[in-house]
């Protein structure tokens, strides 16, 4: 699987030169209802040159129905195997749009322009596409890299604090799996008075960490599983929150999941307790608390059993750390150990 071309030195110039370099017959632009109003005008593509496709905003719309709507719009718009789809939006749009492109006529090319920090470091890069199904995150999907990803940090200045922090959690994850030096930079970065030029440097470094791993293991047979740190328990928390009617942002769930999985790392692979405590403090101070009680442990465990990373529903698979930058993939934990990690989380957070 080829890697996406990552472009980050100006939205208009990057997009203009990219469209000139790609031979396509019809151009389509997918947005959600938010990015249609706030971000679409910045593309500055003349009316009549492209076909507009819009889906409702929000993770709850990352569904088969929305996917079907995109397919219908592509079909009615006369899309062929030589057409090009631009996905302009957050992770929901790039995930769903990428999957629509990967499956329409067995695959058309697409470009991702992430408008959230989370999408820029996570969903838009790495070639994973998909939709949620039966309440499970990204249950249906395919590996399909974007032709290119254009990262414009100007979009992130409009994010509220929660959405900014949601993306920052994935950058934190990348630092934990890469090096102590990167991790210390992330903890020291001023999140109260954001310096966007420095953020751009952190962001590009983070994307490169992910792309390097993806290049080694495009379809997640080995080292790419490193990118799942925090996601086994985090996805379960995210799915349970969605079930309750009180959804949480993906990055928040990953941050809470990292706390639990670093605890598992401590008891299973010898991760340093002091580093665990530093991460706990960082997450608690910035991401607050996901409240649940011991009666909900069984439901969280059931959701973990549905995780795509598992070899079977009876064995839950984790990515753990022996130390920062020293990843241990294909680790398992017993039900009792997982419940112990949830106890640890509640003891520190609740």
């Amino acid at each position: 699987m080829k890697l996406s071309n990552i472009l980050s030195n100006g939205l208009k110039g990057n997009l203009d030169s990219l469209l000139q370099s790609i031979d396509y017959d019809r151009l389509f632009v997918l947005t959600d209802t938010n990015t249609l109003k706030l971000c679409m005008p910045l593309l500055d593509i003349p009316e009549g040159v492209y076909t507009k496709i819009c889906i409702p905003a929000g993770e709850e719309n990352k569904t088969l129905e929305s996917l079907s709507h995109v397919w219908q719009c592509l079909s009615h718009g006369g899309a062929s195997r030589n057409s090009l789809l631009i996905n302009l939006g957050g992770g929901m749009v790039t995930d769903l749009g990428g999957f629509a492109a990967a499956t329409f006529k067995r695959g058309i090319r697409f470009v991702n322009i992430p408008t959230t920090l989370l999408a820029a470091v996570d969903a838009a890069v790495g070639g994973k596409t998909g939709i949620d199904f039966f309440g499970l995150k990204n249950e249906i999907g395919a590996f399909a890299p974007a032709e290119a990803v254009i990262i414009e940090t100007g979009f992130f200045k409009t994010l509220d604090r929660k959405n900014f922090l949601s993306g920052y959690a994935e950058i934190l994850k990348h630092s934990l799996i890469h090096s102590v030096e990167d991790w210390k930079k992330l903890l020291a970065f001023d999140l109260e008075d954001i310096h966007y030029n420095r953020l751009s440097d952190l962001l590009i470094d983070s994307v490169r960490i992910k792309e390097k791993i993806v290049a080694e293991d495009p379809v997640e047979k080995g080292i790419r599983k490193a990118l799942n740190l925090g996601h086994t328990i985090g996805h379960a928390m995210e799915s349970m929150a969605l079930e309750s009617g009180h959804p949480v942002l993906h990055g928040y769930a990953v941050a809470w999941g990292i706390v639990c999985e670093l605890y598992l790392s401590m008891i299973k692979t010898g991760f340093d307790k002091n580093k665990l405590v530093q991460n706990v403090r960082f997450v608690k101070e910035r991401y607050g608390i996901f409240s649940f009680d011991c009666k909900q442990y069984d439901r969280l465990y059931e959701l973990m059993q549905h995780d795509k990373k598992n070899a079977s529903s009876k064995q839950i698979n984790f990515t753990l750390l022996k130390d920062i930058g020293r990843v241990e993939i294909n680790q398992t934990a017993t039900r009792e150990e997982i419940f112990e990690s949830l106890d640890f989380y509640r003891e520190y957070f609740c």
Side-chain angles (χ1 to χ4, degrees):
M1 185 177 78
K2 70 173 185 177
L3 294 179
S4 304
N5 185 17
I6 308 296
L7 307 171
S8 60
N9 56 345
L11 175 61
K12 180 165 172 47
N14 283 157
L15 184 58
D16 287 348
S17 60
L18 184 66
L19 292 179
Q20 289 173 17
S21 70
I22 298 175
D23 180 24
Y24 61 88
D25 56 6
R26 286 182 173 83
L27 179 64
F28 296 80
V29 180
L30 173 66
T31 68
D32 64 24
T33 45
N34 288 337
T35 55
L36 176 64
K37 292 183 294 185
L38 300 174
C39 305
M40 186 68 207
L42 300 179
L43 293 194
D44 197 26
I45 304 175
E47 291 285 342
V49 170
Y50 67 96
T51 299
K52 191 183 306 177
I53 306 174
C54 186
I55 56 178
E59 179 71 19
E60 65 274 16
N61 295 298
K62 192 172 153 184
T63 61
L64 190 58
E65 289 74 23
S66 295
L67 177 66
S68 178
H69 173 70
V70 176
W71 283 334
Q72 288 176 44
C73 290
L74 289 170
S75 184
H76 293 160
S80 74
R81 290 284 298 277
N82 199 39
S83 296
L84 180 67
L85 174 66
I86 295 175
N87 299 314
L88 177 69
M92 187 275 281
V93 169
T94 60
D95 274 354
L96 188 146
F99 187 45
T103 48
F104 186 79
K105 294 189 183 294
R106 296 198 178 98
I108 65 173
R109 291 166 298 174
F110 65 98
V111 172
N112 286 335
I113 305 179
T115 58
T116 67
L117 185 60
L118 178 62
V121 296
D122 185 29
V125 295
K128 281 186 177 180
T129 69
I131 60 169
D132 301 341
F133 192 66
F134 278 168
L136 298 172
K137 285 278 299 176
N138 300 320
E139 182 76 350
I140 311 294
F143 288 100
E147 194 76 13
V149 178
I150 301 176
I151 296 175
E152 172 52 65
T153 55
F155 285 131
F156 312 144
K157 294 180 181 179
T158 65
L159 295 176
D160 60 34
R161 181 170 175 78
K162 282 193 169 184
N163 277 286
F164 184 90
L165 286 173
S166 183
Y168 202 78
E170 288 285 354
I171 303 178
L172 174 65
K173 178 201 72 178
H174 289 158
S175 75
L176 283 166
I177 65 176
H178 191 250
S179 73
V180 172
E181 182 184 0
D182 286 329
W183 174 66
K184 286 182 176 178
K185 283 182 186 176
L186 266 290
L187 295 193
F189 186 74
D190 190 346
L191 290 168
E192 304 303 322
D193 184 18
I194 297 167
H195 190 296
Y196 282 92
N197 286 338
R198 289 179 191 159
L199 173 67
S200 180
D201 292 339
L202 290 178
L203 175 57
I204 297 305
D205 287 346
S206 185
V207 170
R208 284 176 179 153
I209 291 168
K210 180 169 184 176
E211 287 286 281
K212 181 176 182 293
I213 291 171
V214 171
E216 292 180 38
D217 179 22
V219 293
E220 203 170 284
K221 297 296 184 184
I223 191 58
R224 182 168 178 157
K225 295 176 184 178
L227 297 170
N228 294 325
L229 176 67
H231 282 64
T232 300
I233 294 177
H235 273 167
M237 290 176 168
E238 190 175 3
S239 294
M240 191 169 77
L242 198 59
E243 285 179 346
S244 72
H246 299 92
V248 297
L249 293 172
H250 173 73
Y252 275 63
V254 168
W256 299 322
I258 285 173
V259 167
C260 296
E261 293 179 25
L262 288 183
Y263 178 82
L264 288 176
S265 297
M266 184 184 74
I267 66 172
K268 301 283 288 183
T269 61
F271 188 79
D272 181 70
K273 184 177 180 180
N274 290 329
K275 291 173 184 171
L276 168 62
V277 171
Q278 282 182 268
N279 280 284
V280 169
R281 189 179 300 122
F282 181 87
V283 171
K284 184 176 181 179
E285 288 175 357
R286 289 155 183 83
Y287 295 88
I289 298 168
F290 177 62
S291 296
F292 59 95
D293 59 40
C294 56
K295 294 177 183 176
Q296 294 170 290
Y297 285 13
D298 285 334
R299 181 55 184 152
L300 285 168
Y301 187 80
E302 288 172 6
L303 289 165
M304 289 178 221
Q305 289 178 305
H306 287 283
D307 195 283
K308 298 180 293 301
K309 299 180 289 297
N310 299 332
S312 74
S313 62
K314 296 179 181 178
Q315 194 174 63
I316 297 175
N317 195 289
F318 290 92
T319 290
L320 302 179
L321 297 183
K322 194 170 185 64
D323 195 358
I324 293 171
R326 296 178 64 189
V327 179
E328 298 283 333
I329 63 171
N330 297 327
Q331 300 297 301
T332 59
T334 65
R335 181 189 185 94
E336 290 72 24
E337 288 167 336
I338 293 169
F339 283 14
E340 187 180 327
S341 77
L342 298 176
D343 283 340
F344 171 81
Y345 173 89
R346 290 180 60 236
E347 179 183 344
Y348 272 84
F349 279 72
C350 299

